[in-house]
Amino acid sequence: DSTVSRKNGRFVVTPEETGRVMDQAKTEANAATVLDTRMSGTAKIEAEVEEPKITAEANSHVTDLIGSFKTTYTMSDKNRNTNLEVGCNYINGTVLAPGETFSANVELGPQTYEGGYKDAAVYNNGKVEKDVAGGVCQVTTTLYNAVIDAELEIVERHPHSMTVGYVPLGRDAAVAGNYKDLKFKNNLDAPVYIEGYCSGGIIYFNVYGKETRPSNREISFESETVSKTDPKVQFTMDASLTAGSVSVTQSGQSGCIAQLWKIVKVDGKQQSRDLFNKSNYQATPKLITIGTKDATSETLSALKAAITIGDEAKVRSAAAGLKTNAQKKEEEQKEEEKKDDTDKKEDADKSDTNKKEDSSKKDENNKKEDTKKEDSKKQDTKKETTSSTNTSTKKTQSSKESE
């Protein structure tokens, strides 16, 4: 076949050559005949002429850009970036003859480490995990949009299981194993050349061929969300992590059903609006891991009950209330010490009270004793006064008699 390549922005076309295909059955029969003679000889090779499928004249029409698209990616994920570049390199330079079908799973090469791919993020059963060739779906998605811009015939296309952020809903094209592929057919009368490459955080895909569509005709695609599904929350208890620790291991993402519409305008006026595809995206659950290492049975039961209810606020509250057996023992010891201190204080207070009562009684007795002494002293003083009075009287009486 004639080949076409793009170098320094220009197409280079090589001439075709007529080929010959060996007829294996007839050639083997000729060889067997020679062997049967048990003599040296030459067996005739039977072959048929094969005309090239793509001629230089056909490739000479690959001059027009008939479809293009680009998507952006972050430069921080080196493994994923490598996969994007490897995927683009495999597809870059592909030429499809009229009527020929392209398969992404074939053209992406072996999606293995030997094929040049590395481990990066992939979707797997509602979770984001690491696996070989993660990221190639962005390559096929970018290519898909360039192809529908060129209006080549889509044979097979699948949406991702969950939404992606680099294209609108309905404009993605996932590949996975042998059950998800991107296939399209060159439904034009001339070959098409596919150019793909990465540069500065952008994937570019261009489809070149012979433009036959009127210049006053334009196409566009419009994404529509039909319905939406909120993400659920899934909780996991991990006995190897510190009790009460809470970590979000995966953010939740809404699911939806989307439709993609193809709109055709001529001279700026809409001529048609047709349903182009329909996509169903699953909701991605929010994954929360809670540490329960050495948690007490009582607080662990409360956490399990909250998880059964499924309310995130209640689960977080129950997680915050988790206690370890060591904490429980420490609290019990503190409570026991507190009780002992209380008992000691009560005993001390009781002793002080008794001392005060004894002191009060002693004071009262002392007061009584002082009162008795005072009374006795008063009696003595009274007696002395009375005795003195009597003596004076007697002296007075004695003096009168002597005169």
Side-chain angles (χ1 to χ4, degrees), residues 209-223:
K210 183 179 181 180
E211 183 63 86
T212 59
R213 296 170 292 184
S215 59
N216 64 338
R217 179 180 178 275
E218 60 178 306
I219 65 169
S220 61
F221 294 89
E222 183 180 293
S223 179

Side-chain angles (χ1 to χ4, degrees), residues 118-138:
K118 296 185 177 183
D119 285 336
V122 297
Y123 286 165
N124 185 25
N125 295 323
K127 296 181 179 180
V128 179
E129 300 176 347
K130 298 280 188 179
D131 202 0
V132 64
V136 294
C137 288
Q138 185 169 353

Side-chain angles (χ1 to χ4, degrees), residues 110-269:
Q111 295 177 45
T112 61
Y113 302 123
E114 293 75 15
Y117 292 103
K118 296 185 177 183
D119 285 336
V122 297
Y123 286 165
N124 185 25
N125 295 323
K127 296 181 179 180
V128 179
E129 300 176 347
K130 298 280 188 179
D131 202 0
V132 64
V136 294
C137 288
Q138 185 169 353
V139 173
T140 54
T141 290
T142 311
L143 173 60
Y144 171 69
N145 282 274
V147 167
I148 63 176
D149 187 41
E151 296 187 270
L152 300 184
E153 179 185 342
I154 302 301
V155 177
E156 181 181 345
R157 171 262 171 187
H158 301 272
H160 286 77
S161 58
M162 299 175 284
T163 59
V164 296
Y166 42 81
V167 288
L169 298 173
R171 299 194 66 162
D172 58 321
V175 291
N178 57 3
Y179 61 94
K180 282 187 178 183
D181 196 0
L182 170 64
K183 293 181 179 180
F184 55 88
K185 181 179 180 180
N186 179 5
N187 55 347
L188 305 178
D189 295 330
V192 294
Y193 175 90
I194 300 173
E195 178 184 53
Y197 61 94
C198 297
S199 177
I202 302 175
I203 300 177
Y204 297 89
F205 267 101
N206 299 312
V207 179
Y208 292 94
K210 183 179 181 180
E211 183 63 86
T212 59
R213 296 170 292 184
S215 59
N216 64 338
R217 179 180 178 275
E218 60 178 306
I219 65 169
S220 61
F221 294 89
E222 183 180 293
S223 179
E224 176 192 10
T225 301
V226 178
S227 63
K228 194 173 182 180
T229 305
D230 292 330
K232 295 181 179 180
V233 183
Q234 294 180 3
F235 303 97
T236 301
M237 295 185 295
D238 192 331
S240 68
L241 300 177
T242 304
S245 63
V246 179
S247 60
V248 178
T249 55
Q250 177 177 290
S251 299
Q253 187 172 317
S254 298
C256 67
I257 294 176
Q259 295 181 155
L260 188 66
W261 297 88
K262 180 179 179 180
I263 301 168
V264 178
K265 292 182 180 180
V266 176
D267 292 327
K269 295 182 180 180

Side-chain angles (χ1 to χ4, degrees), residues 61 68 97 149 164 189 211 263 288 301-302 321 342 345 370 395:
H61 295 292
S68 66
D149 187 41
V164 296
D189 295 330
E211 183 63 86
I263 301 168
I288 297 178
S301 295
T342 301
K345 187 175 184 303
D370 290 342
K395 284 182 179 180

Side-chain angles (χ1 to χ4, degrees), residues 34-35 37-43:
V34 173
L35 291 173
T37 64
R38 298 180 182 276
M39 297 176 65
S40 62
T42 302

Side-chain angles (χ1 to χ4, degrees), residues 7 19 34 52 67 71 112 114 118 120 134 221 255 261 275 284 309 355 396 402:
K7 296 179 180 179
V34 173
T71 59
T112 61
E114 293 75 15
K118 296 185 177 183
F221 294 89
W261 297 88
L275 182 63
T284 307
I309 296 172
K355 287 180 180 180
T396 304
S402 62

